[in-house]
Amino acid sequence: MILCQKMEIHKLNNRPATKGDRERERARDSKSNISITMAASASSIILSAPSPLKKSTLSSLSWRLPLNISLPRHQRRRASPVFVVVSMDAKPTILVAEKLGEAGIDLLKGFANVDCSYNLSPEELCTKISLCDALIVRSGTKVSREVFESSAGRLKVVGRAGVGIDNVDLAAATEHGCLVVNAPTANTVAAAEHGIALLTAMARNVAQADASIKAGKWQRNKYVGVSLVGKTLAVMGFGKVGTEVARRAKGLGMHIIAHDPYAPADRAHAIGVDLVSFDEAISTADFISLHMPLTPSTSKILNDENFAKMKKGVRIVNVARGGVIDEDALVRALDAGIVAQAALDVFTVEPPPQDSKLVHHENVTCTPHLGASTMEAQEGVAIEIAEAVVGALRGELAATAVNAPMVPAEVLAELKPYVTLAEKLGRLAVQLVAGGSGVKLVKVTYASARAPDDLDTRLLRAMVTKGLIEPISSVFVNLVNADFTAKQRGVRISEERVILDGSPEKPLEIIQVQIANVESKFASAISESGEIKVEGKVKDGVPHLTKVGAFEVDVSLEGNIILCRQVDQPGMIGTVGSILGEENVNVSFMSVGRTAPRKQAIMTIGVDEKPSKVALKRIGEIPAVEEFVFLAL
């Protein structure tokens, strides 16, 4: 294997390595030009191989390696497992389709080849995308289903430099296994500040008065404004930006109410904001500030019907998405005096038509989507999205993923070894299924001392799914498309939580995977209730297999595993070990679980390499061995 060609030649020759030997090895490594590229899965790496290699050759060069493959071998065994495929592609390619701050571009260039191609037509984007591993856009580029289909599976990450992701087809991204990440925090303050700027400018007619005086007029009486103190501001959408607008408006002496079906009441009350219904918010407010995403349920939510419910003379600010307002209905509401003024930073079509009645309305203040346009925000967004995209390509769990299980960063760090355990248990369980048995019903059980509300298992379920499906399918499964892929293949995965007594310091004690209504190629893996059952736990940060069927075992889940059911008698460990030793197969771990002395036992052997068919045949011919199976991790 290519990665294994740096064999300890000097050790084999029984002499120490010389300086010349090491220099020759470095030169050979340099010529091989092997480089590492991470895929957009929490446990995937793609390693490139020479382009002349045939597809079949590439497949034969797939094996498992730890994540931190630059570390010494004895240190690498504790890292997260990954899939490796060999190719010669030097670096991943990232297409930046819209202007991004230099700090972000520099960060990307340190990891990948960066193609900055702006103002691409949909056809040009579809043509380019098949050569790209990641795509970064702002709000102006539509990442449609056609884009994902044109990528032919190569596109692993789409990064949205900003908060909203309505210009990305999330359903198509998920179906194609592409992770979508955004930059939800860097421009929060900038957007909130712009919302307040529009609020105050609208209330005091700043833009109109400025245009008037520059036209040589002096119209003090025409541009009398309204005060903000004591007025009611309805914040529609109480997320990050809405919350910051509320904080600042409180400082202006305004009374703040908010509507958001997903906002926790305690967070609103903590800053003196009352959560109310949609109808109450729009009917009682003097000012309305929009901060909701554009979804099918919010599209044109401010329409003729809802404008009619508003207090006469209401003023509206929109720094969210243009599509949440029916623009024709807003013009009618302005003409009727229901809406006294509007201040808009976003529009349904950007830029809006030059003859837009809304833009030219004398009671409307407009800015060209400037919500995130501060020097600080531009740099912050560029860095945040660049870090998210690079991290995803490296195989890191993305805290800003919008079409994968959303798990806080601190929880991701705590769950990391359990993520590996979950995938490996799924991988083991499905390999125990006899050929021809269809996997349809899978049950995952989590045993923990924590309350159910304190344990988010979506990430773990996704990794069990990955382990179940990839060994028996050509599809690449990741956190994004795991549930979709399982459903598509008719695999029903149920979850059960067992609450244990004790201290909840660890998130989990045990993960158990059961596959029902199947036959097993290793009969001992069948539990008393008739399912294939494997169970494991994390010990000192390393995943361990602790139970197969009804047998207790204890083996580290790394490398590969041989399971033997045997008559419990002296010499079995030595006999099997000798066969493996003669084949130069290194044994990394061994455990024996038995029902009773001199009865049946299961020997679980961890091996670094796959034994030859001859070696496996010899193990099976040992008289005391009743059945055995080799399992690749």
Side-chain angles (χ1 to χ4, degrees), residues 558-627:
E558 50 189 359
N560 303 291
I561 286 180
I562 299 172
L563 295 177
C564 291
R565 186 184 71 192
Q566 65 199 46
V567 177
D568 184 36
Q569 64 183 38
M572 288 301 299
I573 293 177
T575 302
V576 175
S578 296
I579 293 173
L580 296 173
E582 291 171 13
E583 288 280 330
N584 199 31
V585 174
N586 188 51
V587 175
S588 61
F589 220 97
M590 184 175 285
S591 168
V592 177
R594 60 188 184 180
T595 54
R598 305 284 180 163
K599 299 293 184 180
Q600 283 189 330
I602 283 188
M603 181 162 53
T604 311
I605 308 166
V607 292
D608 290 338
E609 299 84 21
K610 180 178 180 180
S612 67
K613 292 182 179 179
V614 173
L616 292 173
K617 185 173 183 292
R618 289 178 62 193
I619 292 173
E621 291 173 346
I622 298 172
V625 173
E626 297 177 338
E627 64 171 344

Side-chain angles (χ1 to χ4, degrees), residues 85-135:
V85 179
V86 176
S87 90
M88 270 307 269
D89 219 0
K91 289 182 178 181
T93 297
I94 300 174
L95 173 61
V96 181
E98 295 183 67
K99 184 68 175 177
L100 196 68
E102 286 301 319
I105 295 293
D106 291 343
L107 195 155
L108 295 173
K109 287 181 176 178
F111 174 76
N113 296 318
V114 180
D115 178 0
C116 294
S117 297
Y118 307 145
N119 302 316
L120 294 173
S121 68
E123 294 76 18
E124 290 170 333
L125 178 60
C126 288
T127 300
K128 268 184 171 289
I129 206 65
S130 63
L131 304 175
C132 301
D133 302 282
L135 168 67

Side-chain angles (χ1 to χ4, degrees), residues 163-164 166 234-239 241-242 258-262 278 281-282 288-295 297-302 317-325 346:
V163 181
D166 45 275
V235 177
M236 309 300 288
F238 201 63
V241 178
H259 171 73
D260 190 323
Y262 306 107
F278 179 85
I282 64 172
I288 296 174
S289 187
L290 301 177
H291 303 286
M292 57 187 66
L294 180 61
T295 66
S297 63
T298 63
S299 178
K300 296 187 177 181
I301 195 168
L302 293 196
V317 177
N318 188 10
V319 293
R321 288 290 177 267
V324 300
I325 297 178
V346 289

